[in-house]
Amino acid sequence: MSSETATMTVANAPSHRASRIDRFLMQGGIVITFLVVAVVATALIEPRFLNRLNLLNVMRNFALLLIPSLAQMLVMTAGGFDLSVGAVVAATSVVTAAVMLVGSGYFPGMELVVILASLVIALGVGALVGLVNAGLVATFSLSPFMVTLAMMSVLMGIALYFTQGIPIYGVADSFIANVGRGQFLGLPIVLWIGLAVLAACIVMQRFTSLGRHIYAVGSDQRSARLSGVSTGRTLLVAYMLAGLLAALTGFLMTSRLGSGQSTIGGTLALETIAAAVIGGVSLRGGVGRAELVALAALFLSVIANAMNLVQVDSKYQTLVLGAVLIISLAIERLLLRKRQS
Amino acid sequence: MLEVTGFTKRFRGVAALDNVDFSLNEGEVHALLGENGAGKSTLINLIAGTFPWAEGVYRINGRTITSLTPHVAQEIGIAAVFQEFSLVPDLTVVENIFLGREQSSGLFLKRKQMRQAAVELLDSLGFHLPLDENVAFLSRAQKQMVEIAKALRMSPKVLILDEPTASLTDGEAEKLFNAVALLKARGVGIIYVSHRMSEIRNLSDRVTVLRGGKKIGTVVTAEISDEGLIEMMVGRPVEQLFPKIEHKPGPVRLEVRDLTTEKRSVIGASFTARAGEVVGLAGLVGCGRSELCRAVFGLEVVETGAIMLDDKAVERPTPTSMLAANVCYFPADRGSEGLALARSARENATMSSLDLPELSSGPVLKFWRENETIKTPLANLALRPMAPERKASAFSGGNQQKLMLARGLMKPFEVYLFDEPTVGIDVGAKADVYNLIKSLVEAGACVVVSTSELPELINLASRVYVMHEGKVVAELAKHELSEAQVLSHYFGGHA
Ligand SMILES: Nc1ncnc2c1ncn2[C@@H]1O[C@H](COP(=O)(O)OP(=O)(O)OP(=O)(O)O)[C@@H](O)[C@H]1O
Ligand SMILES: [Mg+2]
């Protein structure tokens, strides 16, 4: 009997001969390499990249891409898509500014209260959008792609209707100074907020049953349900968290821009999906890690900054973004395939 | 303790289960028997809360239940090993075992404890599995073991086993039977589905026979013969299960020389197979016989060695080139390698033969000929229900297996590689498959069968190669074939 079990152990265990390079490539080595190459190349071509002010700028942009990319990652690992992130950012930016404008009339001199109120209301809007998205996806088993596409259209319509495309000013000065432009220990406040969100996502994915359930639902919904996972609730939480993060982005964006704008976030759906996919999130769900998505978001922010520094026309920037997306995915796939065969 | 009465379930108006009564006592093993598509899995899925029942009353421990989800079923203490598994490919073995039942303190998972518990559980079952491997990378047998361990993660009161041994070898199955006996002694009620008569005989106290969604009867196992059960099941007396095959070995069709795969699942294996004979590949699950077939068909990377067809070496085999060379392969894992589950039975059957002149000219499909062409192969296999437009996923497990087989019968091949051809199909259909193999061989084809069912090999094969840890350790001729002989080579040594 003992010899039998021994032989079966050998037969069962697949050969674990992955080299160190393999493991490096599998666990985000490719993204890290992209990032290092992008940083070094930009610094060489354009020394202004390393200016303190420019670096602070990159960090702010990074944080404002990171948070919605994590939102995208949550939904994608649960087997869906969220095309409405950009629209939620725009809508909540408008909501934040509008609440501040109206609120400061009612409560003059109580800026902090007004700012917090606008945050709470913006987050409420984000959560509500997530709730509706998830509700439609889960109850009617509609395609997440179509549901969030429609949601995007509706939200943009509402935001444009209310603002007529004109920015809403009257945002509290202390809000702009302390949040959008504020610093703590020499780094932008928004970066700290982004890193806090990242840390929360990492912990959630690795150490909580919610994280486990999101992976399971994205990987195989039927099996997850049969295993006793409440798939509807898991989807709901994933989409609502995504809505909350998008709303947080809208709130921070308002503080950064100094006004509420219904026209921002137009390319955010593309950018966040790009960051997620370059960071290794599977389009089929079930796979993806927050820390790698963060690296990919940083990579994209560096490239965007480089293009601004060398004054690439903004019209061409989306073209470059698309090319970067395709090229990096192709390289990633090629390397992995070479390693596997 | 568990009792259902008048259970009915319809799929798009068609009754898959029709007014069925079933009961289970504490400490009882109650077997479900029936042909493919009889409704066994459907009954089990209703009991486990996978989908709602249309009519009927469900009582457990005297409590009447009006609706059930898998989550609630588990709270009540009903655990199930599903025929099509309930595993998530992108999570590891440990994560799957505790999926939906994670242990946490506050917000955070107790990862160490769960791992430890998984180790203890698998040890107690005697299963050896790579704990931190994603389930996607496991073989079907290993997945089966994970699925079993998962059902036992919390002490269940009712345990449902839907063909749990379909892809296990005798050694592993034995361990499962020990676990079943232990649970039974503890008062757990067990519902057991299997197409293997010997298991039903050895394990069960009562048997309920289903046919066409209706209950035929419930009998005490000890009071009925195998023949009696089979007659209840198919509705007519049984014929002979294994046909007598006339082997007329001709020239060597397929020869494998010193083949080693890159993953070392096969090491220096050689064998020959002639036209007009059935060659068997025997051995434990994981011994490399599946991988050997896969390598021949170009699905495993070959490191060294040669594959020869009619004495010509095949460079870099791929499934496309092997099909073109008239070699056909039937995988064991119909879900992940075989069927396009979302497509119709018809499309699945014709998938690899669309280039036949009967079915296309150039790029244009002769779709009007398709139904005509698939009729005979599907009828030969007795597909149930005979509904070619139905999605593959809507067929019962055994009928999905038949669809896989039908694919290889669309056009005449010269070499057939079968990997576990009768996994999960009923006695009647098994006889159909054996007859099919007989007609192929007698028409001059070369057939290689890799299987864990020893009686199959002994009755069908003219020669058997036994594999152990990737190597071919013995070749047995027809007159040397007996269960004891083959088994003695299973562990590499000589008895
Ligand atoms: N999702 C579905 N949609 C439509 N029909 C279905 C579905 N699932 C099962 N059926 C039908 O219900 C009937 C009973 O199937 P079931 O899976 O219960 O059979 P079974 O007795 O378990 O057979 P097997 O031995 O092949 O596993 C079959 O005719 C099958 O085609
Ligand atoms: Mg079944």
Side-chain angles (χ1 to χ4, degrees):
Chain A
M1 190 68 189
S2 68
S3 85
E4 175 191 340
T5 48
T7 56
M8 287 200 349
T9 319
V10 175
N12 280 334
S15 55
H16 266 300
R17 292 185 301 145
S19 71
R20 236 183 248 155
I21 303 176
D22 280 330
R23 227 167 286 148
F24 177 69
L25 287 178
M26 301 285 245
Q27 301 183 346
I30 302 177
V31 192
I32 295 174
T33 314
F34 284 164
L35 181 59
V36 171
V37 169
V39 168
V40 171
T42 314
L44 287 179
I45 296 168
E46 185 49 83
R48 274 184 299 161
F49 176 70
L50 294 178
N51 279 356
R52 199 182 116 73
L53 281 183
N54 186 58
L55 285 180
L56 285 178
N57 190 29
V58 171
M59 287 177 207
R60 286 198 190 90
N61 289 341
F62 161 61
L64 292 176
L65 178 59
L66 172 64
I67 300 171
S69 296
L70 292 172
Q72 189 66 260
M73 172 204 69
L74 284 174
V75 175
M76 283 176 74
T77 45
F81 277 103
D82 192 351
L83 301 181
S84 63
V85 260
V88 175
V89 170
T92 50
S93 167
V94 169
V95 167
T96 306
V99 171
M100 282 187 193
L101 189 63
V102 175
S104 54
Y106 282 101
F107 305 100
M110 299 173 68
E111 279 196 344
L112 188 61
V113 175
V114 173
I115 293 171
L116 286 179
S118 69
L119 174 62
V120 169
I121 294 175
L123 290 179
V125 169
L128 183 68
V129 171
L131 183 79
V132 174
N133 278 339
L136 291 170
V137 168
T139 352
F140 300 105
S141 41
L142 296 176
S143 127
F145 191 88
M146 289 321 295
V147 168
T148 58
L149 184 68
M151 180 57 85
M152 171 176 100
S153 179
V154 169
L155 284 177
M156 291 207 312
I158 296 177
L160 277 174
Y161 175 78
F162 274 111
T163 61
Q164 302 297 328
I166 303 162
I168 301 180
Y169 293 100
V171 172
D173 289 336
S174 63
F175 178 48
I176 300 174
N178 291 323
V179 182
R181 306 210 176 124
Q183 290 185 11
F184 176 68
L185 300 179
L187 294 176
I189 293 282
V190 282
L191 181 66
W192 288 111
I193 296 177
L195 293 179
V197 171
L198 173 62
C201 281
I202 294 175
V203 170
M204 189 276 286
Q205 283 186 322
R206 294 211 176 168
F207 302 110
T208 70
S209 53
L210 172 64
R212 191 80 42 99
H213 290 178
I214 289 180
Y215 283 130
V217 169
S219 181
D220 185 338
Q221 197 167 338
R222 172 190 154 273
S223 291
R225 202 178 94 83
L226 290 181
S227 308
V229 174
S230 166
T231 53
R233 211 183 64 202
T234 307
L235 283 176
L236 199 73
V237 174
Y239 277 89
M240 280 179 63
L241 284 178
L244 284 172
L245 292 185
L248 178 62
T249 312
F251 176 79
L252 296 176
M253 205 82 110
T254 313
S255 152
R256 178 99 207 274
L257 298 171
S259 62
Q261 300 194 8
S262 59
T263 49
I264 53 175
T267 55
L268 212 49
L270 171 66
E271 286 170 53
T272 54
I273 292 178
V277 174
I278 295 176
V281 177
S282 162
L283 290 169
R284 271 175 262 111
V287 181
R289 282 159 51 190
E291 59 273 31
L292 299 185
V293 172
L295 291 174
L298 184 55
F299 166 65
L300 291 178
S301 309
V302 168
I303 290 193
N305 182 250
M307 288 194 289
N308 282 332
L309 289 177
V310 300
Q311 294 175 344
V312 174
D313 191 325
S314 66
K315 280 187 287 236
Y316 299 122
Q317 293 201 0
T318 53
L319 188 155
V320 175
L321 174 63
V324 165
L325 177 59
I326 298 290
I327 293 171
S328 50
L329 288 182
I331 294 177
E332 201 167 335
R333 198 38 57 90
L334 269 180
L335 286 175
L336 285 181
R337 187 178 308 156
K338 223 190 199 155
R339 282 278 132 198
Q340 273 159 13
S341 64
Chain B
M1 96 177 121
L2 180 146
E3 186 181 21
V4 301
T5 40
F7 250 30
T8 300
K9 170 76 191 172
R10 296 186 195 88
F11 288 110
R12 276 186 238 103
V14 185
L17 207 63
D18 189 1
N19 198 15
V20 168
D21 302 341
F22 179 85
S23 68
L24 181 69
N25 302 326
E26 266 174 40
E28 176 193 41
V29 178
H30 192 152
L32 277 178
L33 190 63
E35 297 179 287
N36 295 131
K40 305 179 295 295
S41 298
T42 306
L43 176 57
I44 274 172
N45 278 316
L46 296 181
I47 293 176
T50 310
F51 31 64
W53 55 93
E55 288 154 32
V57 181
Y58 189 148
R59 256 194 300 274
I60 183 157
N61 294 329
R63 209 148 56 87
T64 304
I65 294 173
T66 48
S67 74
L68 195 63
T69 63
H71 188 77
V72 175
Q74 290 184 16
E75 310 259 87
I76 303 176
I78 301 174
V81 166
F82 292 97
Q83 188 176 16
E84 303 299 329
F85 303 159
S86 60
L87 305 176
V88 170
D90 295 314
L91 293 183
T92 66
V93 170
V94 175
E95 289 169 348
N96 262 289
I97 289 178
F98 285 97
L99 182 60
R101 291 259 137 202
E102 287 85 3
Q103 307 169 354
S104 7
S105 55
L107 261 182
F108 298 105
L109 292 171
K110 296 186 189 165
R111 299 209 295 179
K112 283 222 185 74
Q113 277 96 322
M114 284 197 278
R115 207 191 135 88
Q116 187 53 37
V119 170
E120 279 162 21
L121 181 56
L122 289 171
D123 276 352
S124 74
L125 287 166
F127 294 161
H128 296 269
L129 294 166
L131 291 174
D132 301 306
E133 188 76 84
N134 277 5
V135 161
F137 301 122
L138 301 188
S139 71
R140 198 174 162 84
Q142 291 174 317
K143 286 183 194 156
Q144 182 95 66
M145 294 186 232
V146 180
E147 180 82 6
I148 291 170
K150 188 175 158 200
L152 298 175
R153 61 191 172 178
M154 36 141 203
S155 338
K157 296 197 184 69
V158 174
L159 177 64
I160 298 174
L161 298 163
D162 195 353
E163 302 197 27
T165 57
S167 33
L168 298 185
T169 49
D170 295 346
E172 292 147 0
E174 204 55 49
K175 292 171 184 164
L176 174 66
F177 301 152
N178 293 338
V180 166
L182 216 70
L183 290 171
K184 185 179 154 155
R186 266 194 245 146
V188 176
I190 295 164
I191 306 177
Y192 194 90
V193 180
S194 176
H195 289 294
R196 296 185 180 166
M197 275 307 179
S198 59
E199 289 177 5
I200 291 187
R201 173 110 357 246
N202 293 336
L203 291 175
S204 71
D205 304 304
R206 289 192 293 163
V207 186
T208 290
V209 181
L210 298 176
R211 191 199 311 151
K214 294 199 176 62
K215 175 168 159 176
I216 302 301
T218 300
V219 289
V220 176
T221 318
E223 293 170 5
I224 188 166
S225 66
D226 282 4
E227 288 73 21
L229 277 177
I230 295 176
E231 189 168 341
M232 278 176 82
M233 182 174 140
V234 294
R236 57 187 150 84
V238 250
E239 297 132 42
Q240 193 187 5
L241 183 57
F242 292 103
K244 179 131 187 56
I245 298 183
E246 289 294 329
H247 296 277
K248 288 195 256 3
V252 173
R253 268 280 138 76
L254 170 68
E255 178 170 5
V256 171
R257 277 193 205 145
D258 260 333
L259 184 113
T260 300
T261 57
E262 196 195 50
K263 290 195 200 132
R264 310 284 148 163
S265 46
V266 179
I267 305 164
S270 305
F271 76 93
T272 55
R274 295 170 182 276
E277 71 167 348
V278 178
V279 170
L281 297 178
L284 291 169
V285 167
C287 70
R289 56 184 161 77
S290 292
E291 290 78 3
L292 182 54
C293 293
R294 292 168 49 83
V296 170
F297 198 62
L299 292 168
E300 295 279 327
V301 182
V302 175
E303 195 160 277
T304 56
I307 297 166
M308 327 264 292
L309 282 176
D310 294 325
D311 286 335
K312 279 195 293 291
V314 183
E315 302 294 334
R316 297 181 157 271
T318 63
T320 323
S321 71
M322 292 314 272
L323 281 171
N326 276 321
V327 177
C328 177
Y329 162 75
F330 301 90
D333 193 348
R334 58 183 173 257
S336 65
E337 285 186 356
L339 293 176
L341 286 172
R343 307 302 307 175
S344 68
R346 168 177 53 80
E347 286 177 45
N348 271 290
T350 55
M351 195 169 287
S352 49
S353 38
L354 290 176
D355 55 342
L356 284 186
E358 291 95 296
L359 285 176
S360 62
S361 48
V364 183
L365 283 184
K366 299 182 186 165
F367 52 87
W368 59 93
R369 301 276 289 276
E370 232 181 326
N371 275 320
E372 197 53 41
T373 325
I374 57 174
K375 217 178 233 164
T376 335
L378 292 187
N380 281 346
L381 288 166
L383 182 72
R384 239 180 309 254
M386 186 56 88
E389 294 311 318
R390 198 186 264 224
K391 272 200 263 178
S393 60
F395 283 88
S396 73
N399 280 296
Q400 291 182 2
Q401 182 70 4
K402 294 184 197 171
L403 280 180
M404 273 297 315
L405 293 172
R407 188 181 290 174
L409 305 177
M410 299 302 303
K411 63 178 174 187
F413 290 96
E414 282 164 7
V415 177
Y416 294 85
L417 306 166
F418 290 97
D419 195 3
E420 306 284 0
T422 56
V423 169
I425 68 182
D426 66 52
V427 183
K430 268 185 190 157
D432 293 336
V433 171
Y434 300 145
N435 276 315
L436 181 97
I437 291 179
K438 171 184 161 81
S439 62
L440 292 175
V441 170
E442 290 180 353
C446 160
V447 176
V448 179
V449 179
S450 154
T451 173
S452 29
E453 299 223 9
L454 278 179
E456 258 171 30
L457 287 178
I458 286 155
N459 287 288
L460 299 175
S462 70
R463 282 181 303 128
V464 169
Y465 293 90
V466 187
M467 292 186 67
H468 174 68
E469 291 186 357
K471 302 191 180 85
V472 173
V473 292
E475 178 186 349
L476 301 170
K478 181 93 195 160
H479 64 272
E480 298 173 293
L481 280 181
S482 69
E483 297 212 7
Q485 260 297 337
V486 178
L487 272 175
S488 72
H489 295 285
Y490 261 39
F491 301 103
H494 294 266

